[in-house]
Amino acid sequence: MNLNIKNKKRLDYKWVVAGLCFLMMFVGLGFCSTAKNAYFQPIVEALNFSRGAFGLSDTFRYATTSIVTLFFYKLVERFGTKKIVCAGLVCYTLFTLTNAISNTLIGFYIGGIFLGLAVAFAGSTMVSVIVNKWFTKNKGTVLGIILAANAGGSALAVALLEPMIYSGGVGYKNAYFVTSVAVVSVFLIVALFYKDKVCDVVLDHSKEKKQESAEWEGFSYEILARKPAFYAVIICIAMYALSSVGSIATPHFKDIGFSGEFIALTVCIGSIVLMVSKILMGIIYDRFGIKVSVNICLFTSLAAKLILFFVTSQTPILAITYTVLMSVATPLETVMIPIIVLDLFGQRSFHKSLAITTSLFTVGHALNAPLVNIPYDFSNNYLISFVTSTVASAMIIVILNCSMRSLKRAQKENLLR
């Protein structure tokens, strides 16, 4: 009897861990990563950088995340999740301080490397691993709620720091210093209260899993590696990142005549909608499955990019519509990646498949930054980037749906054996 009570108390601590993950996402990804786009125009104007050259800071960021993610699970096995999470929060702090004091491109590139390390150690991948180990039911909902903190943090960051960021000159530096204080505060809370007690939960997870009949455990990686649909899925996810227009929408709105206040408003609206959509996408997956949830993201992304062609300074409602639709689509980049891996590839190969998928996804984002910004330096607009991104989105919808159908069919055949 005492043993059962002890196990129950241990299991309840998962909600403390979930709360700490929420806080980590709120300040780490929200204040540092997602809100980073709001700094783009002020920094470029204050330091007289070309957009293509400054955009390479994102390349360094995503390239770093991509490389580290490949070795992520080996690091976790050796050091545990707590040490890795704390290291990630330290890197977030170094990112904010580096960007605050930098006046050269090299300084911002170094800041991008720190941000890449931070996202790899204390970002969505880490949260998905923690949730997968601590929770056995409604993983999509739990993951959606935690990752929604990213959007909430971004909305609050832009709302609070917008006067500093757009004050002109080097006012953005003060915003980075304030952010660093917020990150250090979260670091202290996580260091004090986070417990790296996943072993007991894994054992409990195995017990519960044994009680569930006909549970599909997934493909081994050796079998997955022989399936063309496996490569099609991870390439589509990488292409989704490669064809993103999120990083150039804000400067585009500035170029066509929207005020800094209106742009800040769209960022806040987008962050609030994103926060809600992440939670809803997790719920939708738990209730309706992978096909419905993924296609909602894919088709709203395509619709948003089509609307972007018609946005002018006289049509603010279209700019807000684009922002709302893109926020509905964005959970595919966070909540849905671990869900796609777990649902289509299975638990047996989850760690390795997630590492490869996340790594390729970040490679896509690393290449996205220069590819969407360099054409601007030659044509003085983003039309080429918008066209290629829209065409890519349409192709991804077709290929990804065919691949999901193929893998689901393989799952059924596997269960019937």
Side-chain angles (χ1 to χ4, degrees):
M1 184 68 179
N2 292 333
L3 181 61
N4 291 334
I5 294 174
K6 185 177 180 181
N7 287 338
K8 185 176 181 181
K9 288 182 178 179
R10 287 181 178 178
L11 207 64
D12 287 342
Y13 201 79
K14 66 186 179 184
W15 297 111
V16 177
V17 173
L20 293 172
C21 288
F22 185 93
L23 188 61
M24 181 174 69
M25 293 295 98
F26 190 87
V27 173
L29 284 183
F31 274 60
C32 297
S33 180
T34 306
K36 184 175 179 290
N37 289 338
Y39 292 82
F40 188 96
Q41 191 78 10
I43 292 176
V44 167
E45 292 180 353
L47 301 179
N48 197 29
F49 294 148
S50 75
R51 298 190 184 191
F54 183 69
L56 285 174
S57 63
D58 278 341
T59 301
F60 280 95
R61 169 230 171 140
Y62 288 113
T64 301
T65 301
S66 177
I67 294 171
V68 174
T69 300
L70 289 175
F71 306 97
F72 175 78
Y73 296 105
K74 292 183 179 180
L75 293 173
V76 171
E77 288 176 2
R78 181 171 180 179
F79 299 106
T81 55
K82 182 173 182 176
K83 290 181 180 179
I84 302 299
V85 165
C86 288
L89 291 171
V90 169
C91 289
Y92 276 128
T93 305
L94 293 174
F95 156 72
T96 57
L97 293 176
T98 301
N99 277 22
I101 64 176
S102 295
N103 293 309
T104 64
L105 285 170
I106 293 177
F108 286 101
Y109 296 162
I110 294 173
I113 293 173
F114 282 131
L115 181 58
L117 289 171
V119 172
F121 293 153
S124 302
T125 303
M126 173 60 82
V127 168
S128 66
V129 169
I130 293 172
V131 168
N132 188 50
K133 288 182 177 180
W134 283 82
F135 291 84
T136 58
K137 295 181 180 180
N138 299 320
K139 292 182 181 181
T141 302
V142 174
L143 191 60
I145 292 172
I146 294 175
L147 295 183
N150 177 6
S154 174
L156 181 62
V158 174
L160 292 178
L161 302 177
E162 182 269 337
M164 296 182 193
I165 297 173
Y166 289 97
S167 62
V170 292
Y172 67 87
K173 291 179 179 286
N174 295 327
Y176 272 128
F177 283 125
V178 171
T179 301
S180 67
V181 173
V183 176
V184 170
S185 300
V186 172
F187 168 80
L188 294 175
I189 295 172
V190 171
L192 285 172
F193 296 104
Y194 184 91
K195 292 184 179 180
D196 199 3
K197 290 186 177 180
V198 296
C199 293
D200 295 331
V201 180
V202 171
L203 289 174
D204 184 80
H205 172 75
S206 64
K207 289 178 182 179
E208 185 169 334
K209 192 172 182 179
K210 289 177 182 178
Q211 295 173 359
E212 297 177 358
S213 59
E215 179 81 16
W216 182 69
E217 294 184 355
F219 304 107
S220 66
Y221 184 76
E222 290 72 22
I223 293 176
L224 270 179
R226 297 197 296 268
K227 292 184 177 295
F230 166 68
Y231 297 101
V233 168
I234 61 176
I235 289 173
C236 280
I237 292 174
M239 287 299 298
Y240 189 85
L242 182 64
S243 60
S244 172
V245 295
S247 64
I248 59 176
T250 298
H252 172 68
F253 288 163
K254 183 73 173 177
D255 290 342
I256 61 178
F258 287 121
S259 65
E261 291 77 11
F262 176 79
I263 293 172
L265 174 64
T266 62
V267 173
C268 288
I269 291 174
S271 297
I272 293 171
V273 175
L274 179 58
M275 180 172 59
V276 175
S277 66
K278 284 184 176 183
I279 298 173
L280 289 178
M281 209 55 63
I283 296 173
I284 289 171
Y285 166 74
D286 286 333
R287 292 199 61 183
F288 302 105
I290 192 73
K291 184 177 180 179
V292 173
S293 52
V294 167
N295 276 298
I296 288 174
C297 296
L298 292 176
F299 279 98
T300 51
S301 174
L302 179 61
K305 292 174 182 179
L306 290 172
I307 288 176
L308 200 56
F309 286 99
F310 303 99
V311 177
T312 67
S313 58
Q314 286 74 43
T315 57
I317 189 65
L318 287 181
I320 293 175
T321 302
Y322 158 81
T323 302
V324 170
L325 288 175
M326 190 54 70
S327 297
V328 173
T330 301
L332 185 62
E333 301 186 7
T334 50
V335 178
M336 296 308 299
I337 288 181
I339 288 175
I340 288 171
V341 171
L342 188 60
D343 189 288
L344 297 180
F345 307 151
Q347 188 70 254
R348 290 173 63 188
S349 61
F350 178 71
H351 285 177
K352 190 168 185 178
S353 298
L354 181 61
I356 294 172
T357 304
T358 305
S359 181
L360 284 177
F361 171 79
T362 51
V363 168
H365 264 304
L367 296 175
N368 169 264
L371 287 179
V372 296
N373 280 293
I374 289 176
Y376 179 92
D377 294 333
F378 293 97
S379 60
N380 207 34
N381 61 63
Y382 289 110
L383 181 60
I384 295 174
S385 298
F386 292 155
V387 171
T388 54
S389 177
T390 303
V391 172
S393 291
M395 295 175 60
I396 289 170
I397 289 175
V398 176
I399 298 172
L400 190 52
N401 272 281
C402 291
S403 302
M404 288 193 297
R405 191 179 302 114
S406 174
L407 287 168
K408 282 297 183 182
R409 186 165 53 248
Q411 287 180 21
K412 291 179 181 179
E413 293 173 354
N414 186 273
L415 284 171
L416 291 174
R417 290 177 182 174

